[in-house]
Amino acid sequence: MRNKKASRAESPKDNRIYRFELRLTKAEKAQFLFLEKSTGLNRSEIVRNKVLSHSFKILVDSKTILQMLDTLGSELGRSGNNINQLARHINTLKLQGRLEPGELSRFPSLIADYIKYQRQIEQEFRNLMRLIKGQR
């Protein structure tokens, strides 16, 4: 009869047999606990990610990042609103017959630039969300 433990493949956790002790001040401990809570990683994962140079995970304060993303999303909304106001103003001038053809010459390129940048920002949003989700 075979031993079940011997037949199962060893996981990376099974290979973690070495321990290190870390001494911290009270303030450092509080900072470490805050980092643990805000990133969603346990202490060992935080230390391994910070110490091992080949790590692909980046430690971030998720709450701060999400607040920044919320602010950026609001700004994108405001810029979209500004574009709508400009379009409405142009249409009003056109209906009143006061629109000069030269006034519209830059508008299409500005809108194209806005759309290009908005798509880049959306892609970065998705990349950042994947990064944050990958930590947990």
Short mmCIF file of all heavy atoms in Angstrom, two decimals, residues 51-80:
data_model
loop_
_atom_site.label_atom_id
_atom_site.label_comp_id
_atom_site.label_asym_id
_atom_site.label_seq_id
_atom_site.Cartn_x
_atom_site.Cartn_y
_atom_site.Cartn_z
N VAL A 51 10.76 41.24 -0.82
CA VAL A 51 12.15 40.80 -0.75
C VAL A 51 12.60 40.14 -2.05
O VAL A 51 13.72 40.35 -2.50
CB VAL A 51 12.34 39.83 0.44
CG1 VAL A 51 13.72 39.20 0.41
CG2 VAL A 51 12.13 40.57 1.75
N LEU A 52 11.77 39.35 -2.65
CA LEU A 52 12.17 38.61 -3.84
C LEU A 52 12.07 39.49 -5.08
O LEU A 52 11.01 39.96 -5.44
CB LEU A 52 11.31 37.35 -4.00
CG LEU A 52 11.35 36.40 -2.81
CD1 LEU A 52 10.39 35.25 -3.02
CD2 LEU A 52 12.76 35.88 -2.57
N SER A 53 13.18 39.69 -5.74
CA SER A 53 13.21 40.62 -6.87
C SER A 53 12.46 40.11 -8.09
O SER A 53 12.05 40.89 -8.93
CB SER A 53 14.66 40.90 -7.26
OG SER A 53 15.29 39.71 -7.67
N HIS A 54 12.21 38.82 -8.18
CA HIS A 54 11.52 38.28 -9.34
C HIS A 54 10.00 38.28 -9.18
O HIS A 54 9.29 37.76 -10.02
CB HIS A 54 12.01 36.86 -9.64
CG HIS A 54 11.64 35.88 -8.57
ND1 HIS A 54 12.28 35.81 -7.37
CD2 HIS A 54 10.67 34.93 -8.52
CE1 HIS A 54 11.74 34.86 -6.62
NE2 HIS A 54 10.77 34.32 -7.30
N SER A 55 9.54 38.90 -8.13
CA SER A 55 8.10 38.92 -7.89
C SER A 55 7.39 39.79 -8.92
O SER A 55 7.87 40.84 -9.31
CB SER A 55 7.83 39.48 -6.49
OG SER A 55 6.45 39.63 -6.30
N PHE A 56 6.23 39.35 -9.37
CA PHE A 56 5.44 40.11 -10.33
C PHE A 56 4.35 40.92 -9.65
O PHE A 56 3.67 41.70 -10.30
CB PHE A 56 4.80 39.17 -11.35
CG PHE A 56 5.82 38.50 -12.21
CD1 PHE A 56 6.11 37.17 -12.04
CD2 PHE A 56 6.51 39.21 -13.17
CE1 PHE A 56 7.06 36.55 -12.83
CE2 PHE A 56 7.46 38.60 -13.96
CZ PHE A 56 7.74 37.27 -13.79
N LYS A 57 4.18 40.73 -8.38
CA LYS A 57 3.14 41.47 -7.68
C LYS A 57 3.71 42.78 -7.14
O LYS A 57 4.85 42.85 -6.72
CB LYS A 57 2.57 40.66 -6.52
CG LYS A 57 1.77 39.47 -6.98
CD LYS A 57 1.11 38.80 -5.81
CE LYS A 57 0.26 37.64 -6.27
NZ LYS A 57 -0.38 36.96 -5.16
N ILE A 58 2.88 43.80 -7.17
CA ILE A 58 3.26 45.09 -6.65
C ILE A 58 2.35 45.38 -5.48
O ILE A 58 1.14 45.21 -5.56
CB ILE A 58 3.09 46.19 -7.72
CG1 ILE A 58 4.00 45.90 -8.91
CG2 ILE A 58 3.37 47.55 -7.15
CD1 ILE A 58 3.75 46.81 -10.10
N LEU A 59 2.92 45.83 -4.39
CA LEU A 59 2.10 46.16 -3.23
C LEU A 59 1.52 47.55 -3.42
O LEU A 59 2.24 48.50 -3.72
CB LEU A 59 2.93 46.11 -1.95
CG LEU A 59 3.52 44.76 -1.60
CD1 LEU A 59 4.36 44.87 -0.34
CD2 LEU A 59 2.45 43.72 -1.43
N VAL A 60 0.22 47.66 -3.29
CA VAL A 60 -0.44 48.95 -3.42
C VAL A 60 -1.45 49.10 -2.29
O VAL A 60 -1.96 48.12 -1.77
CB VAL A 60 -1.16 49.11 -4.78
CG1 VAL A 60 -0.19 49.11 -5.92
CG2 VAL A 60 -2.20 48.03 -4.98
N ASP A 61 -1.71 50.32 -1.96
CA ASP A 61 -2.77 50.62 -1.00
C ASP A 61 -4.05 50.68 -1.82
O ASP A 61 -4.32 51.66 -2.51
CB ASP A 61 -2.48 51.94 -0.31
CG ASP A 61 -3.56 52.33 0.68
OD1 ASP A 61 -4.59 51.64 0.77
OD2 ASP A 61 -3.37 53.35 1.37
N SER A 62 -4.82 49.61 -1.77
CA SER A 62 -6.01 49.48 -2.63
C SER A 62 -6.99 50.62 -2.42
O SER A 62 -7.58 51.12 -3.39
CB SER A 62 -6.71 48.14 -2.36
OG SER A 62 -5.84 47.09 -2.63
N LYS A 63 -7.19 51.05 -1.18
CA LYS A 63 -8.16 52.12 -0.93
C LYS A 63 -7.73 53.41 -1.62
O LYS A 63 -8.54 54.09 -2.24
CB LYS A 63 -8.31 52.36 0.57
CG LYS A 63 -9.08 51.27 1.28
CD LYS A 63 -9.25 51.59 2.74
CE LYS A 63 -9.98 50.46 3.45
NZ LYS A 63 -10.14 50.73 4.88
N THR A 64 -6.45 53.74 -1.53
CA THR A 64 -5.95 54.96 -2.16
C THR A 64 -6.08 54.87 -3.68
O THR A 64 -6.52 55.83 -4.32
CB THR A 64 -4.48 55.20 -1.77
OG1 THR A 64 -4.38 55.29 -0.36
CG2 THR A 64 -3.95 56.47 -2.41
N ILE A 65 -5.72 53.72 -4.23
CA ILE A 65 -5.82 53.54 -5.68
C ILE A 65 -7.27 53.68 -6.13
O ILE A 65 -7.57 54.35 -7.12
CB ILE A 65 -5.26 52.16 -6.11
CG1 ILE A 65 -3.76 52.10 -5.86
CG2 ILE A 65 -5.59 51.86 -7.56
CD1 ILE A 65 -2.95 53.03 -6.71
N LEU A 66 -8.19 53.05 -5.40
CA LEU A 66 -9.60 53.13 -5.79
C LEU A 66 -10.13 54.56 -5.68
O LEU A 66 -10.94 54.99 -6.51
CB LEU A 66 -10.43 52.16 -4.96
CG LEU A 66 -10.16 50.68 -5.26
CD1 LEU A 66 -10.94 49.79 -4.29
CD2 LEU A 66 -10.51 50.34 -6.70
N GLN A 67 -9.68 55.32 -4.68
CA GLN A 67 -10.08 56.72 -4.57
C GLN A 67 -9.55 57.53 -5.75
O GLN A 67 -10.25 58.37 -6.31
CB GLN A 67 -9.58 57.32 -3.26
CG GLN A 67 -10.32 56.82 -2.04
CD GLN A 67 -9.68 57.27 -0.73
OE1 GLN A 67 -8.57 57.75 -0.70
NE2 GLN A 67 -10.40 57.08 0.37
N MET A 68 -8.30 57.24 -6.14
CA MET A 68 -7.72 57.94 -7.28
C MET A 68 -8.46 57.59 -8.56
O MET A 68 -8.73 58.47 -9.40
CB MET A 68 -6.23 57.57 -7.41
CG MET A 68 -5.38 58.12 -6.29
SD MET A 68 -3.72 57.43 -6.27
CE MET A 68 -3.05 58.10 -7.78
N LEU A 69 -8.83 56.32 -8.72
CA LEU A 69 -9.58 55.91 -9.90
C LEU A 69 -10.95 56.57 -9.94
O LEU A 69 -11.43 56.97 -11.00
CB LEU A 69 -9.73 54.39 -9.94
CG LEU A 69 -8.46 53.60 -10.20
CD1 LEU A 69 -8.73 52.10 -10.07
CD2 LEU A 69 -7.89 53.92 -11.56
N ASP A 70 -11.57 56.71 -8.77
CA ASP A 70 -12.87 57.36 -8.70
C ASP A 70 -12.75 58.82 -9.12
O ASP A 70 -13.58 59.33 -9.88
CB ASP A 70 -13.42 57.25 -7.27
CG ASP A 70 -14.82 57.80 -7.16
OD1 ASP A 70 -15.67 57.46 -8.02
OD2 ASP A 70 -15.08 58.58 -6.21
N THR A 71 -11.70 59.49 -8.65
CA THR A 71 -11.47 60.88 -9.02
C THR A 71 -11.23 61.00 -10.52
O THR A 71 -11.79 61.88 -11.19
CB THR A 71 -10.26 61.45 -8.25
OG1 THR A 71 -10.52 61.33 -6.86
CG2 THR A 71 -10.00 62.89 -8.61
N LEU A 72 -10.42 60.10 -11.07
CA LEU A 72 -10.14 60.13 -12.50
C LEU A 72 -11.41 59.87 -13.31
O LEU A 72 -11.65 60.54 -14.32
CB LEU A 72 -9.07 59.08 -12.84
CG LEU A 72 -8.59 59.05 -14.28
CD1 LEU A 72 -8.06 60.40 -14.73
CD2 LEU A 72 -7.53 57.98 -14.44
N GLY A 73 -12.23 58.95 -12.85
CA GLY A 73 -13.49 58.69 -13.54
C GLY A 73 -14.40 59.91 -13.54
O GLY A 73 -15.05 60.21 -14.55
N SER A 74 -14.42 60.62 -12.42
CA SER A 74 -15.23 61.85 -12.35
C SER A 74 -14.72 62.89 -13.33
O SER A 74 -15.51 63.58 -13.99
CB SER A 74 -15.19 62.42 -10.93
OG SER A 74 -15.76 61.52 -10.02
N GLU A 75 -13.40 63.02 -13.41
CA GLU A 75 -12.82 64.00 -14.34
C GLU A 75 -13.14 63.63 -15.79
O GLU A 75 -13.42 64.51 -16.61
CB GLU A 75 -11.30 64.09 -14.15
CG GLU A 75 -10.88 64.76 -12.84
CD GLU A 75 -11.37 66.18 -12.71
OE1 GLU A 75 -11.42 66.92 -13.73
OE2 GLU A 75 -11.72 66.58 -11.59
N LEU A 76 -13.09 62.34 -16.10
CA LEU A 76 -13.46 61.91 -17.45
C LEU A 76 -14.91 62.27 -17.75
O LEU A 76 -15.24 62.70 -18.86
CB LEU A 76 -13.26 60.41 -17.61
CG LEU A 76 -11.84 59.93 -17.86
CD1 LEU A 76 -11.77 58.42 -17.82
CD2 LEU A 76 -11.35 60.45 -19.20
N GLY A 77 -15.77 62.08 -16.77
CA GLY A 77 -17.18 62.43 -16.94
C GLY A 77 -17.36 63.92 -17.18
O GLY A 77 -18.15 64.32 -18.04
N ARG A 78 -16.61 64.73 -16.44
CA ARG A 78 -16.70 66.18 -16.62
C ARG A 78 -16.22 66.59 -18.01
O ARG A 78 -16.81 67.46 -18.65
CB ARG A 78 -15.88 66.90 -15.55
CG ARG A 78 -16.53 66.91 -14.20
CD ARG A 78 -15.77 67.82 -13.23
NE ARG A 78 -16.15 67.47 -11.88
CZ ARG A 78 -15.46 66.68 -11.07
NH1 ARG A 78 -14.31 66.19 -11.45
NH2 ARG A 78 -15.89 66.40 -9.86
N SER A 79 -15.14 65.97 -18.48
CA SER A 79 -14.63 66.34 -19.81
C SER A 79 -15.63 65.94 -20.88
O SER A 79 -15.83 66.67 -21.86
CB SER A 79 -13.26 65.73 -20.07
OG SER A 79 -13.34 64.32 -20.10
N GLY A 80 -16.29 64.79 -20.72
CA GLY A 80 -17.34 64.40 -21.66
C GLY A 80 -18.49 65.38 -21.64
O GLY A 80 -19.05 65.72 -22.69
#
